[in-house]
Amino acid sequence: MLCSGSRSILVRMAAGDFLAAIIAFAAVISTASGQFDSCNSDVAILLPPPFNASVFTCRAIWNSFILRYSQRPDNILTIVLSAPYTSGWVGMGFSNDGLMVGSSAMVGWIGRAGKAHIRQFYLRGQSSSQVLVNEGRLLRTAVKPAVLLYGSSIYFAFQLKFLAPVAEKKLLFAFATETPNGFHLTKHDDKVSINFDFSAGSSSGSTYPYKLKRNHGALAIIGWGVLLPIGAMIARYCRDWDVPWFELHIAFQFAGFLFGLAAVLTGISLYNKIHANVTVHRGIGIFLLVLGILQVLAFFVRPDKDSKIRRYWNWYHHWVGRLLLFFSAINIILGIRIGEAGTPWKVGYGFNLSIILLACIFGEIMLWGRLSRKSVPAPPS
């Protein structure tokens, strides 16, 4: 028999071991719930067969997205995709040209009632109504797709059948934090398009011309949205100031036209790459280019001050310029919205437009005051 002291020691040791086990278990749970997936993790084994195999190739893709995959000799591709998740949906698309329109995607999410969902969608257009559930060009196998929420990551798995061994593919990855309403996907919060080689397990840069799109927007704002308005304000409000207003006006207008022309050229190049359905934006852009060319040509045929037609030239030049500036602002705002440029672009151009409008109001007040003083006859001596 054990003495009471020995029993007391064993009880304290058992209690201590039990407490240590609880702490260790809590630490494991906390770690699992607080960290994202990685290729060093074996959480995927919690998925049902055949998605729990240990022979997957694993690659980190984008924004903590982890892609696990394996390819069989019969051209069946098994995929397990994991991504950070709190709410909303996560999607992986297959595209012929790296663009959203015309691609097919597998999308997974946890519904508001806690039920897991995974569906194929056909991305016929950019609007939510053109994202069609249970349609697409991906050939599925008889294996049922699976979804697992573990810790801070969502895992969804599916199998696809191809007609030939899968090598390089253009893949789309996207996510949204707003949960779908029924099976209508909400607008994505962010997206990326990459080239991925399933045979080598390597990816290359984005296939979408993000840099070209940014350059197009920046050139348009600098040319049509900054330089041209400043040049127009110099011509209208600085005539009586002790500055070479005409030379400054010409310098700003020519610089603005060159930046605007560069924006049009990059816009044409961008359209040839993505073939986006932006008819109104393109139409206004071409209209602005025509007005800009007319303004440049008008400078070279400007009549003398004493000419009888000078007043008609002035009328034409002023109103064509105002029309150009008005439609420039509209098209820049339209471009920011179409290009999904984000808050910094909206705030930046909004601030720029506000400064220009306030400067115009101040200039009109000052101009009205000068004209009023000139119209008052001098008192008799």
Side-chain angles (χ1 to χ4, degrees):
M1 294 179 62
L2 294 174
C3 65
S4 60
S6 299
R7 287 199 301 270
S8 176
I9 293 174
L10 290 176
V11 169
R12 287 197 300 270
M13 290 177 61
D17 292 341
F18 179 74
L19 181 60
I22 292 294
I23 294 174
F25 178 75
V28 169
I29 294 299
S30 176
T31 300
S33 62
Q35 292 183 351
F36 299 140
D37 184 26
S38 71
C39 285
N40 295 325
S41 170
D42 59 354
V43 177
I45 64 174
L46 298 176
L47 289 164
F51 306 119
N52 58 359
S54 59
V55 294
F56 282 127
T57 301
C58 183
R59 293 291 182 268
I61 300 295
W62 164 77
N63 269 8
S64 298
F65 278 49
I66 303 296
L67 177 64
R68 295 175 173 88
Y69 67 93
S70 65
Q71 186 169 188
R72 295 188 342 207
D74 56 355
N75 305 325
I76 288 181
L77 183 66
T78 303
I79 288 179
V80 176
L81 180 70
S82 69
Y85 189 83
T86 54
S87 62
W89 57 264
V90 174
M92 175 181 177
F94 292 76
S95 173
N96 292 327
D97 53 10
L99 304 178
M100 168 186 168
V101 177
S103 62
S104 301
M106 297 297 294
V107 180
W109 70 94
I110 305 298
R112 292 184 173 88
K115 183 179 179 180
H117 300 276
I118 181 169
R119 291 288 190 276
Q120 181 178 177
F121 288 83
Y122 178 61
L123 312 180
R124 190 173 65 184
Q126 294 183 334
S127 65
S128 178
S129 61
Q130 294 177 305
V131 178
L132 308 179
V133 66
N134 294 329
E135 295 191 28
R137 300 172 182 174
L138 301 176
L139 300 178
R140 300 247 308 273
T141 68
V143 175
K144 185 177 180 181
V147 179
L148 169 67
L149 183 63
Y150 184 82
S152 299
S153 297
I154 187 173
Y155 297 76
F156 67 93
F158 54 93
Q159 274 191 344
L160 300 177
K161 171 69 176 178
F162 292 89
L163 302 179
V166 181
E168 186 170 310
K169 285 287 184 181
K170 293 179 173 60
L171 303 180
L172 311 176
F173 297 93
F175 70 91
T177 54
E178 186 177 348
T179 303
N181 183 13
F183 294 102
H184 298 285
L185 296 186
T186 55
K187 184 179 179 181
H188 56 70
D189 292 346
D190 202 358
K191 64 183 184 303
V192 73
S193 172
I194 65 171
N195 286 319
F196 191 85
D197 190 342
F198 283 96
S199 59
S202 62
S203 61
S204 58
S206 172
T207 61
Y208 188 88
Y210 291 104
K211 185 176 181 180
L212 184 61
K213 184 174 76 170
R214 287 194 299 268
N215 291 342
H216 169 66
L219 289 169
I221 291 176
I222 293 172
W224 304 123
V226 176
L227 295 177
L228 288 182
I230 292 176
M233 288 190 291
I234 289 173
R236 181 166 177 79
Y237 305 126
C238 300
R239 289 174 178 265
D240 295 337
W241 295 7
D242 188 18
V243 294
W245 68 269
F246 183 73
E247 289 75 9
L248 286 175
H249 170 66
I250 295 300
F252 272 93
Q253 299 306 84
F254 269 103
F257 173 74
L258 292 177
F259 272 92
L261 177 61
V264 172
L265 295 177
T266 55
I268 293 173
S269 178
L270 182 63
Y271 176 77
N272 290 336
K273 290 181 179 294
I274 67 175
H275 300 286
N277 184 18
V278 289
T279 306
V280 176
H281 183 64
R282 288 178 62 217
I284 296 177
I286 295 171
F287 179 60
L288 292 176
L289 178 62
V290 172
L291 293 182
I293 293 174
L294 291 176
Q295 289 291 73
V296 172
L297 294 177
F299 168 77
F300 292 104
V301 297
R302 184 169 63 107
D304 296 332
K305 289 184 178 180
D306 298 332
S307 174
K308 294 181 180 180
I309 63 172
R310 178 61 180 262
R311 60 180 298 185
Y312 301 107
W313 183 92
N314 287 338
W315 180 86
Y316 155 81
H317 182 64
H318 296 165
W319 282 104
V320 170
R322 291 177 180 128
L323 193 66
L324 189 152
L325 295 178
F326 175 75
F327 278 100
S328 294
I330 290 178
N331 213 33
I332 290 172
I333 294 172
L334 187 62
I336 291 174
R337 184 182 66 82
I338 292 173
E340 300 176 345
T343 301
W345 287 74
K346 296 176 183 177
V347 173
Y349 182 67
F351 179 77
N352 171 77
L353 192 59
S354 300
I355 293 297
I356 290 174
L357 292 176
L358 290 175
C360 288
I361 293 172
F362 177 77
E364 290 295 325
I365 294 173
M366 298 296 292
L367 182 61
W368 180 80
R370 291 200 301 269
L371 294 176
S372 298
R373 287 193 296 270
K374 289 181 179 180
S375 63
V376 176
S381 56

